[in-house]
Amino acid sequence: MATGTIRFWDSVKGFGFICPDEAGPDVFCHAHGLYDSTWIPPGGTRVSYNTRSGRDGRLQATGALPITGGQ
């Protein structure tokens, strides 16, 4: 699993971007890519996530969940 930080989240549109800990471009994350699609992640939240290729060929986060203390 990759790790990163929610850089931006638009709760109205239901998507945002994760700044990965590893070098590379921000990763798109749709609400359906969160571990719980009702969760609204605040900017600055550390997350772990998997990636897949989106419809446009760019990386998209899946299964994103918050990293809690000690991880």
Side-chain angles (χ1 to χ4, degrees):
M1 282 192 122
T3 58
T5 304
I6 299 286
R7 182 177 61 80
F8 164 82
W9 190 264
D10 185 325
S11 58
V12 173
K13 294 183 179 180
F15 73 87
F17 293 90
I18 299 170
C19 178
D21 289 341
E22 298 294 320
D26 286 352
V27 178
F28 176 79
C29 184
H30 189 273
H32 290 101
L34 300 172
Y35 79 101
D36 175 355
S37 63
T38 64
W39 177 53
I40 299 173
T45 301
R46 299 254 317 125
V47 294
S48 62
Y49 60 95
N50 291 308
T51 58
R52 67 178 178 93
S53 182
R55 290 186 298 199
D56 59 3
R58 292 185 281 183
L59 286 182
Q60 183 171 336
T62 64
L65 63 141
I67 296 173
T68 57
Q71 292 184 348

